Structures are given as structure tokens and as C-alpha cells.
Amino acid sequence: MRSKKAIINTIVAILQEAVGVVCGLILPRLILSAFGSSYNGITSSITQFLACVVLLRGGVGAVTRAALFKPLAENDTENVSAIMNATQQFMRKVALIFAGALVIFACLYPLLVSYEFDWLFSFTLVMILGISTFMEYYFGITNLFLLQADQKQYIVSIVQMISTVLNTLFAFLLIKLGCGIHLVKLGSALAFSINPILRYLYVRKRYKVDKTVAPNFDKIKQRWDAFWQTFAFFVNSNCPIMILTFFADIKEVSVYTVYNYVIANIRNIVNTFITGFGAAFGNMLAKGEHDLAKKNLRVFELVIFNLVSIVYTTAGVMVLPFVSVYTNGITDVEYYRPIYAVVATVAGAFSCFRIPYQSIVEAAGHFKQTKIGAFVEAVLNIVISVICVIKFGLIGVAIGTLVATVIRSVEYAIYVSKHIIKRSQFIFFVHILVTSGIAVLTAVISDAFFTFATPNYLYWAAKSILVVLISTALTAITDLAFFKNETFYMIKKVKGIITGRTKKK
């Protein structure tokens, strides 16, 4: 049943990702064409600053999910209600704090971009972009945690798809009607505000969450230990844009967002294939099935590293041609940045290498034990990025992210092998070496044989498919050479799911 749920979550998440990629290509291009790089840069900058609200959550999301695994597995409605009520109270306080902080930020942010936009323009834009975030935190995010913990990520994905499509339609129509950026973003805010409402209606109908049960704050007391995990994620995701906003031209933010769109969506693609597996491991650990968890981790690792081999290698080869096609005709800033592309792609790959280990740590609830590593990652990223951005510009923020991400990924892998799923610590490094070899070989072969230009999306897609095929073939060969047992076990599990013979493994 766990495997079946994970597969359903994965299929729907892949569909969501496909919708997100298509809509994500359309909307920024519309904004770039209609308003220019400065407008694209300021909206991206504000959005990333508003993401600071994730710090107010104090890691409560991961802690809530970890706390819910056991009562959900035991159908303990009272404990589920106690945890949900505690989380709901906490998140509504966060939403109110965010509302106050939003007003203050809206007053101060315009001072950072006063050289290009007037105060009222920036103030109102900040307020509009903050609407959907407030709605999410006040009305719906607790229900999101419940659905994720119960392996019903597919519900979250369906709701997200609806909002994404509506957002794109609203923006397209408003831009074609000649509306300004404020009305366009107001349409987006309304579209994404549908998210928490739909989740609330689903949870209300399907779950018996008793609002009269006293909230159990002890169950989420580790949220302050988990805060550092959240802080590290926030820094890696948002630090580059913030630093560029302070130390570089706003147009550099636009360049960053174009490349980051590719890198971030690749990570989302990897995440779609493992959606629900974290909850499955939480269920195993809650039931004391440690041997089964250990066996399945080997398969989980293989899936992740295979995906990274294929998608990030393809990205490394094809990201510059994509950017050239995507920004064709936009000349207000130089978008062709080959060194930055390489460093950012490698950093993105390492952010995915850590996924199986981070999932295990969160499923086991080991937040306190790993908070120092999270703190070190965040500090390293900020310090190195600030130092390097002054000398190297955009490349500098990529260097900071790369160094911090590599160190944190290694720390995660070693911790899991020593303290949760006890096994050899060298398995992670073997995967890294094999994946690096695949990347180098794919790049060499692609450079030697696929030499035709990519003047448009059709040629780019054709070349990308060829690169994917080469990378996939090399990955399959190395699986059989280095990870034969895990490969056949993975095939056996997939066959079991398809034929309906898998029970609880």
C-alpha cells in the first residue's frame, strides 16, 4: 500500500511538474516581453524577500509531519487532532506576524530600488504580492502538512495545478488587455489564494479533525531545532537574490531568475519522482521496520542518483542554448553566462544528492541532532556569497551556494549512515563518483557528435532528447555494473506494484 501511494503521488506530481514547467515558461517570458528585465527583476526580488516568512514557521512543517506519522499509522484521531490544533494555532500567529512585517517591508523595500522605481509603485507591488502568502499561512498550510504526512501529496499536486493554470490564464489575459504589472500580479494573488481554500474543503470532508481537542504543543516542540533546517533551505533558495539586490544591479536579479528557473525546475522534477517516499519511510520507522527501511533506502538512493545523472547532465549541456533561445531579442542585459551556468548546475545537483538522506532525517525526527550542520550551511552560504559577489558578481553567489551545499550534503549522508540506517558511509561517495563519470562522458560525447546549432525550441528539444538518451544509456550501464542488486530489487518492486502483488514493502 505504501509503494502504491508513492507511485500515485509520483504520477500526479509529474503531471503537476509538466504543467508548472509549461506555465513557468510562458509567464516570465510574457513579463519580460511586456515590461522588460527591470520589471521581471523587481517582482522576482520581492517574491524572494517575502519568502522570509518561511523562517517564521520555525521548522514546524517538518516537525508536524514527523509527529503525525505514528498517529496516522495507528488511526489515532485524538492525537492527530491535538497535533493539528497546535500547529494551526502556531501558523495563525505566524500569519498575523507576517501581515505586520509585510507592511513594514513594503515601506522599506522601495528605498532599495528607488533609482529605478518610485516609492508608491514598489509599495503597492509588495502588498499585492503578499496577499497569497498570508492566505496560505492563515487558512491552509496546516492541512498541507496533514496531507503530506498521510501520503496524499497527489491532492496537493492537483490543487496546485489548478492554481498554476488559473494564474497563467489570468496573467496572459491581463497582459494582452494592456494592464499594468500591478493588475497582473493581483490576478496571480487571487489564483494562488484558491490553494488553501480547496485543501481546507478536502480535509474537512475526509478527516475527522476535532477542533475541541486540546492542542498538544509538546508534539511540535522540536520546531525550534527544525528551524535551522528551514533556515538553511531559505538561505540556499533566497540568499542569492537578496545579495544581488543589495550588491548588484536589479537586472542581474533577472539573469539569476532565468537560470534559476531551469535549476529549480530540475530539482522539482527529481522531487516529483520521490514524492511520498519520505512519508513512506516515516511510516516504516514509526512501525519499527528498520531492516525494511535500510533495504529500501538503497533503492531510494539509486532512483535519486539515476535521475540526477540524467537531468542535471542534460541541464549542464543544454542550459546555455536554452537561455539563448529563451532571451532572444532581449538586449538590456547579457544573459549568456557560461561559467555561472556550470557552477549553478553543479550546486543544483548536490542539492538533489541530499534528498534521500534529508528525507530519512526528517522522517526520524532527528532535528536537534542535525541543527548544527544546518546552521553551518547557512552561515557558509551567506559569508562566501557576500565575499565573492563583490569580486565575481553573479558567479560569486553560485560559489557560495555550491560550497555550502556540498558540505551539507556530505554531512547528511554520513549522519544517516551512522545514526539512523546503520551501514557503510562510503555508499554515498561511490554514487557521487559514478554520477560524475556519467556527466563527464555525456558532455564529451554530446560535444563530439551533437554539433548542430539550436536557433529555436524545436532544435533545442531535439538536441536535448539526444543528450537524455546518451545519459540514460550510460546510467543504465553503470547501474548494472555497480548497483546490480539494487537495480533488480527496484525492478521487482515496480512489477509488484503493477501486478498488485506488493503489500507493505
Side-chain angles (χ1 to χ4, degrees):
M1 180 60 72
R2 284 185 299 233
S3 296
K4 185 176 181 180
K5 284 184 177 180
I7 293 297
I8 292 173
N9 285 329
T10 298
I11 292 171
V12 178
I14 291 171
L15 181 59
Q16 178 204 340
E17 187 60 29
V19 171
V21 168
V22 172
C23 293
L25 284 171
I26 295 171
L27 189 54
R29 176 67 195 189
L30 284 172
I31 292 175
L32 279 170
S33 300
F35 303 109
S37 295
S38 294
Y39 282 80
N40 186 47
I42 191 173
T43 55
S44 299
S45 174
I46 293 170
T47 300
Q48 294 300 95
F49 271 101
L50 292 178
C52 289
V53 70
V54 74
L55 298 177
L56 297 175
R57 284 162 50 176
V60 74
V63 173
T64 297
R65 288 191 295 270
L68 284 170
F69 288 141
K70 187 176 179 63
L72 284 171
E74 297 174 350
N75 293 316
D76 186 349
T77 303
E78 184 174 352
N79 264 320
V80 169
S81 298
I83 295 166
M84 288 288 288
N85 291 341
T87 303
Q88 181 69 26
Q89 283 192 26
F90 180 82
M91 293 312 304
R92 289 200 166 175
K93 290 178 182 178
V94 168
L96 294 174
I97 294 171
F98 169 75
L102 178 65
V103 175
I104 296 172
F105 174 66
C107 292
L108 298 178
Y109 179 81
L111 303 178
L112 293 176
V113 292
S114 58
Y115 57 90
E116 194 148 2
F117 300 98
D118 65 55
W119 188 90
L120 184 60
F121 175 95
S122 301
F123 173 84
T124 50
L125 189 58
V126 169
M127 295 300 294
I128 289 171
L129 289 171
I131 292 173
S132 58
T133 301
F134 175 79
M135 292 287 291
E136 175 73 28
Y137 278 73
Y138 194 83
F139 292 106
I141 200 164
T142 305
N143 297 320
L144 170 67
F145 301 152
L146 175 61
L147 293 171
Q148 290 173 334
D150 200 27
Q151 286 191 272
K152 290 189 177 179
Q153 178 69 32
Y154 65 91
I155 299 297
V156 177
S157 298
I158 291 170
V159 171
Q160 184 64 38
M161 275 191 285
I162 294 171
S163 294
T164 301
V165 171
L166 286 176
N167 171 46
T168 306
L169 286 175
F170 289 168
F172 177 80
L173 291 173
L174 290 169
I175 288 175
K176 291 302 178 182
L177 289 171
C179 297
I181 191 69
H182 290 79
L183 280 179
V184 172
K185 288 304 176 180
L186 182 59
S188 296
L190 294 176
F192 284 117
S193 293
I194 294 173
N195 253 346
I197 296 171
L198 293 179
R199 286 200 301 265
Y200 167 78
L201 293 174
Y202 179 87
V203 169
R204 183 180 179 182
K205 183 177 180 180
R206 297 289 183 177
Y207 293 86
K208 296 178 181 178
V209 178
D210 188 351
K211 298 296 184 181
T212 64
V213 173
N216 188 344
F217 290 100
D218 285 341
K219 291 292 185 179
I220 60 172
K221 65 182 179 181
Q222 279 202 86
R223 64 183 181 271
W224 300 118
D225 294 318
F227 167 81
W228 292 109
Q229 323 287 345
T230 304
F231 183 64
F233 174 78
F234 167 80
V235 169
N236 285 341
S237 302
N238 303 288
C239 176
I241 281 188
M242 292 186 175
I243 290 176
L244 288 171
T245 300
F246 281 106
F247 295 100
D249 189 278
I250 196 70
K251 291 185 176 67
E252 290 294 286
V253 176
S254 181
V255 175
Y256 170 83
T257 57
V258 170
Y259 280 92
N260 190 58
Y261 172 78
V262 177
I263 304 301
N265 273 293
I266 290 172
R267 193 176 195 280
N268 291 340
I269 289 171
V270 175
N271 272 320
T272 59
F273 283 91
I274 54 88
T275 296
F277 283 96
F281 277 106
N283 187 276
M284 292 176 204
L285 295 174
K287 292 183 175 180
E289 298 170 345
H290 294 282
D291 289 339
L292 183 60
K294 181 177 180 179
K295 189 175 183 179
N296 279 280
L297 177 57
R298 295 298 297 268
V299 176
F300 193 20
E301 283 175 308
L302 186 64
V303 171
I304 293 297
F305 280 90
N306 281 351
L307 286 170
V308 172
S309 296
I310 295 167
V311 297
Y312 271 99
T313 298
T314 303
V317 174
M318 297 304 301
V319 66
L320 284 172
F322 169 80
V323 171
S324 294
V325 174
Y326 187 73
T327 59
N328 183 40
I330 299 171
T331 58
D332 54 356
V333 67
E334 177 59 65
Y335 280 89
Y336 191 81
R337 311 287 180 93
I339 298 176
Y340 173 77
V342 172
V343 178
T345 301
V346 176
F350 269 91
S351 73
C352 288
F353 289 149
R354 73 167 64 179
I355 288 175
Y357 316 109
Q358 184 175 354
S359 298
I360 297 291
V361 166
E362 292 181 357
H366 285 212
F367 302 105
K368 183 176 182 179
Q369 299 91 325
T370 56
K371 66 180 181 181
I372 293 177
F375 174 77
V376 170
E377 178 186 16
V379 172
L380 278 176
N381 198 340
I382 294 171
V383 172
I384 296 174
S385 294
V386 170
I387 292 172
C388 291
V389 75
I390 296 171
K391 185 173 179 60
F392 303 111
L394 184 63
I395 298 171
V397 296
I399 293 172
T401 301
L402 175 61
V403 173
T405 304
V406 169
I407 292 173
R408 180 61 166 158
S409 298
V410 173
E411 190 263 343
Y412 262 130
I414 291 175
Y415 181 86
V416 167
S417 296
K418 286 182 66 176
H419 301 288
I420 303 177
I421 309 291
K422 300 188 177 181
R423 59 175 198 163
S424 171
Q425 301 172 31
F426 294 102
I427 296 173
F428 169 76
F429 297 101
V430 171
H431 276 293
I432 293 292
L433 289 173
V434 170
T435 302
S436 300
I438 292 170
V440 172
L441 280 174
T442 302
V444 170
I445 293 171
S446 300
D447 185 62
F449 294 100
F450 309 143
T451 56
F452 60 89
T454 56
N456 55 47
Y457 287 117
L458 182 62
Y459 280 90
W460 180 86
K463 192 169 184 177
S464 295
I465 291 170
L466 293 174
V467 176
V468 167
L469 291 174
I470 291 297
S471 182
T472 302
L474 291 173
T475 299
I477 292 169
T478 55
D479 279 354
L480 293 174
F482 296 97
F483 310 108
K484 186 175 180 180
N485 291 335
E486 292 86 346
T487 300
F488 283 111
Y489 181 60
M490 178 175 64
I491 294 172
K492 181 180 177 181
K493 284 181 69 67
V494 173
K495 284 183 177 178
I497 294 168
I498 293 173
T499 60
R501 294 176 183 175
T502 298
K503 293 182 180 180
K504 67 182 239 180
K505 292 185 179 182

